[in-house]
């Protein structure tokens, strides 16, 4: 019995070391980042990972058109609102959501999903809270690394999702 416990302990230690090594390796290829804004009393925080282009075709290639994308790398991107907001003209309650997108050549769909903490490819459409169409446009110069930023707008803030030669814009305002 003692021998079995020792073997199980060794196996558990090896598995844990392997998981931490894998996490470290994936984070070095697509590091964690936080985008935040506190504008006019509205606080938004986005926790995401930043993949690199590395010479690849991004939209319509690595990120296929018409399919759900985790909007970053590694774990699903998480966005948190400190109060009720309006996103692209639609109401969204304060709280924490995973952020997904469906890129297309012309415009995108932004998806706010109630499930958080999952690996970025484990998307469950039944937990969608809001889907809104958003504008995408050419971005110059090309962004080697995916990033999320905020830009003040007349009635709130625009959240910018930029990578390669594309940026998508999500208008957000207080409700």
């Amino acid at each position: 019995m003692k021998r079995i416990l020792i073997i199980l302990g060794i196996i558990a230690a090896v598995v844990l070391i392997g998981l931490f090594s894998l996490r470290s390796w994936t984070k070095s290829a697509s590091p964690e980042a936080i985008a935040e804004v506190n504008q006019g009393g509205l606080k938004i925080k986005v926790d995401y990972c930043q993949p690199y282009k590395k010479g690849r075709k991004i939209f319509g290639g690595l990120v296929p058109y018409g399919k759900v994308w985790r909007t970053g790398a590694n774990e699903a991107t998480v966005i948190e609102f400190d109060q009720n907001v309006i996103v692209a003209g639609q109401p969204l309650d304060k709280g924490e959501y995973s952020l997904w997108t469906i890129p297309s050549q012309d415009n995108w769909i932004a998806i706010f999903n109630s499930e958080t903490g999952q690996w970025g490819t484990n998307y469950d459409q039944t937990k969608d809270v809001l889907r809104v169409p958003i504008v995408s446009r050419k971005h110059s110069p090309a962004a080697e690394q995916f990033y999320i930023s905020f830009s003040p707008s007349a009635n709130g803030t625009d959240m910018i999702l930029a990578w390669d030669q594309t940026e998508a814009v999500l208008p957000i305002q207080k409700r």
Side-chain angles (χ1 to χ4, degrees), residues 68-70 72-77 100 118-124:
V68 174
W69 176 46
R70 67 179 115 186
N74 303 326
E75 299 89 359
T77 294
W100 305 83
Q118 72 273 39
W119 187 252
T121 54
N122 295 333
Y123 168 70
D124 182 353

Side-chain angles (χ1 to χ4, degrees), residues 70-82:
R70 67 179 115 186
T71 316
N74 303 326
E75 299 89 359
T77 294
V78 175
I79 185 166
E80 183 177 358
F81 301 100
D82 75 331

Side-chain angles (χ1 to χ4, degrees), residues 99-161:
L99 175 65
W100 305 83
T101 50
I102 302 175
S104 69
Q105 285 182 306
D106 298 321
N107 292 303
W108 291 22
I109 296 172
I111 304 166
F112 297 85
N113 186 284
S114 64
E115 183 179 14
T116 60
Q118 72 273 39
W119 187 252
T121 54
N122 295 333
Y123 168 70
D124 182 353
Q125 181 177 351
T126 65
K127 296 185 178 171
D128 286 356
V129 175
L130 178 67
R131 283 180 171 228
V132 291
I134 57 173
V135 173
S136 67
R137 58 189 180 207
K138 286 284 187 192
H139 176 75
S140 185
E144 173 64 24
Q145 187 176 26
F146 172 69
Y147 69 89
I148 297 174
S149 63
F150 293 94
S151 176
S153 67
N155 297 320
T157 189
D158 288 338
M159 185 169 71
I160 312 293
L161 312 173

Side-chain angles (χ1 to χ4, degrees), residues 4-16:
I4 292 173
L5 290 175
I6 291 172
I7 291 171
L8 288 175
I10 291 171
I11 291 171
V14 168
V15 168
L16 281 174

Side-chain angles (χ1 to χ4, degrees), residues 6 14 25 36 38 41-43 46-47 56 61 121 133 143 149-150 154:
I6 291 172
V14 168
W25 178 75
E36 292 181 285
N38 184 352
L42 174 62
K43 292 180 188 176
V46 185
D47 191 355
R56 302 174 288 188
T121 54
S149 63
F150 293 94

Side-chain angles (χ1 to χ4, degrees), residues 7-84:
I7 291 171
L8 288 175
I10 291 171
I11 291 171
V14 168
V15 168
L16 281 174
I17 290 170
L19 288 174
F20 284 117
S21 297
L22 180 62
R23 178 178 164 85
S24 176
W25 178 75
T26 60
K27 297 295 182 176
S28 68
S30 299
E32 291 179 284
I34 293 176
E36 292 181 285
V37 67
N38 184 352
Q39 178 183 323
L42 174 62
K43 292 180 188 176
I44 305 169
K45 178 181 176 184
V46 185
D47 191 355
Y48 68 108
C49 290
Q50 299 180 278
Y52 287 89
K53 182 177 178 188
K54 298 180 186 174
R56 302 174 288 188
K57 179 179 180 183
I58 300 304
F59 298 107
L62 178 66
V63 178
Y65 289 131
K67 296 198 177 191
V68 174
W69 176 46
R70 67 179 115 186
T71 316
N74 303 326
E75 299 89 359
T77 294
V78 175
I79 185 166
E80 183 177 358
F81 301 100
D82 75 331
Q83 60 188 279
N84 297 339

